[in-house]
Amino acid sequence: MSNGVVEGLVLKVLLITALGTFLALDRVDILREDARKHVNNVVFYVFNPALVASKLAETVTYESIVKLWFMPLNILITFIIGSILGWILVQFTRPPRHIRGLIVGCCAAGNLGNMFLIMIPAVCKEKGSPFGAPDVCQSYGLAYVSFSMAIGAIYLWSYVYNIVRASAAGTTIESTRHTQIVGFMIGLIPYIRKILIGGDAPLHVIQDTASLLGDGAIPTLTLILGGNLLKGLQGSGMQKSIIVGIMVARYIALPIIGIFIVKGALRLGFIPADPLYQFVLLLQFAVPPAMNMGVITQLFGAGETECSVIMLWAYALASISLTLWSTLFMFLI
């Protein structure tokens, strides 16, 4: 996999983050702290639910669940192993209580959404791609990516969200979880799917509207992270060992473990001999922390600056890590 694909994606994230930091400067004063909290509420109550519901409705069918049954298990394994690594890191570093959930969450939850949406189509279009014809590769790849995003969102908001909530001693908010019920109902019930999904559906405008709103989630939460980063750069008091530990967990330990899990599943016949599907499963172990961690910490008002510092380092190093691991994964499959 060429460096340009990953570096281009990471550069976009860093540029939007830099813009958020600029907008939060005192002399600019557009994305001040209270503004970030209000915008974050819009992300949580509108953009994220729309993104999750629309992706679930598009991708989740009875047939897809049967065919891709190992993917939810694979993602669950990444969350469980990441949580264990995060818990070990917490035991060694003894951080303040309010950021313990953040540390575990960053180790557990990977970016299973926008990273894949850009990487997989780019890989399919590359010359000499091992995944066959570009159009066929992209069609199957986007299906895998959408399913990955939807399942990842369920685990994030059902599991990691509550870990951070418990750490921050906050209050449970249920909106995104409810939209996941909604998304599964649309996808699994053929009659509802027929009237909502597809260009010929009578009520397809509802799905189109949800997708349009969902598209605003990623750039908006990246701007918020950039705004929070300003305070972090001025001094978050965060231990360097915590940052190093999270990078080791996400960029070294998890990908190595992932190779054994995916190869073992292939040998046992749990997954088909589809190189693209295996590649997506392997990448789920190697991506940087989920950007929605910033949304969660902002909701509870605990660990926003620390989260921004972690994300800055994670995405700065992602171009190197993802390029190396992607090249190795292609060689292995």
Side-chain angles (χ1 to χ4, degrees):
M1 183 175 181
S2 66
N3 294 353
V5 174
V6 179
E7 289 176 354
L9 172 59
V10 173
L11 182 59
K12 290 176 186 178
V13 173
L14 295 178
L15 285 174
I16 298 175
T17 303
L19 177 61
T21 303
F22 174 75
L23 295 176
L25 292 172
D26 291 338
R27 63 176 179 273
V28 179
D29 202 27
I30 293 177
L31 205 58
R32 65 181 71 178
E33 186 171 357
D34 58 339
R36 295 198 298 273
K37 290 181 179 178
H38 292 311
V39 173
N40 193 73
N41 283 333
V42 174
V43 173
F44 182 79
Y45 284 105
V46 181
F47 291 165
N48 262 330
L51 179 65
V52 173
S54 62
K55 291 301 179 184
L56 281 172
E58 290 173 2
T59 60
V60 175
T61 62
Y62 176 78
E63 292 79 12
S64 67
I65 290 178
V66 171
K67 181 180 179 182
L68 305 177
W69 70 269
F70 186 78
M71 185 177 287
L73 176 60
N74 192 66
I75 297 174
L76 178 61
I77 291 171
T78 70
F79 274 70
I80 292 173
I81 296 175
S83 298
I84 294 171
L85 295 173
W87 179 83
I88 293 172
L89 179 59
V90 166
Q91 303 310 305
F92 275 99
T93 57
R94 298 292 179 183
R97 177 178 174 81
H98 72 282
I99 65 168
R100 292 179 183 177
L102 167 65
I103 295 170
V104 174
C106 284
C107 291
N111 187 332
L112 303 177
N114 57 324
M115 275 287 187
F116 286 83
L117 285 173
I118 297 176
M119 286 177 64
I120 298 303
V123 169
C124 289
K125 294 175 184 176
E126 281 199 338
K127 292 183 179 179
S129 169
F131 305 125
D135 54 340
V136 177
C137 172
Q138 183 159 328
S139 176
Y140 279 98
L142 288 177
Y144 299 155
V145 169
S146 297
F147 194 56
S148 172
M149 174 188 289
I151 298 301
I154 293 174
Y155 291 151
L156 177 75
W157 293 104
S158 300
Y159 170 63
V160 174
Y161 172 88
N162 284 295
I163 288 178
V164 179
R165 178 187 63 82
S167 175
T171 306
T172 302
I173 304 175
E174 299 288 344
S175 69
T176 302
R177 189 178 305 171
H178 291 164
T179 60
Q180 292 164 5
I181 298 165
V182 174
F184 268 118
M185 284 178 59
I186 294 173
L188 293 177
I189 301 177
Y191 176 74
I192 299 179
R193 184 180 181 85
K194 188 175 181 180
I195 64 175
L196 288 176
I197 307 300
D200 297 329
L203 300 179
H204 72 88
V205 67
I206 296 176
Q207 170 67 13
D208 293 345
T209 303
S211 297
L212 183 63
L213 286 170
D215 290 340
I218 293 168
T220 306
L221 67 89
T222 310
L223 282 173
I224 295 171
L225 276 174
N228 291 336
L229 180 61
L230 182 64
K231 190 188 298 183
L233 291 175
Q234 293 170 347
S236 65
M238 192 172 185
Q239 300 168 243
K240 293 182 177 62
S241 58
I242 294 175
I243 299 175
V244 172
I246 293 173
M247 300 305 111
V248 170
R250 289 230 59 95
Y251 292 151
I252 299 177
L254 273 170
I256 292 174
I257 295 171
I259 291 173
F260 288 99
I261 289 173
V262 174
K263 284 298 182 181
L266 178 64
R267 179 165 295 185
L268 292 172
F270 292 163
I271 59 177
D274 177 354
L276 181 59
Y277 185 42
Q278 295 173 44
F279 184 67
V280 172
L281 293 177
L282 287 166
L283 274 182
Q284 289 170 346
F285 287 90
V287 288
M291 299 204 70
N292 271 315
M293 290 303 304
V295 176
I296 296 174
T297 57
Q298 185 86 32
L299 283 170
F300 298 121
E304 308 106 297
T305 56
E306 292 88 348
C307 181
S308 293
V309 174
I310 291 170
M311 292 298 173
L312 176 66
W313 282 103
Y315 282 83
L317 295 173
S319 59
I320 300 172
S321 174
L322 274 176
T323 300
L324 294 174
W325 283 115
S326 297
T327 303
L328 177 61
F329 293 159
M330 285 189 178
F331 173 77
L332 291 175
I333 61 178

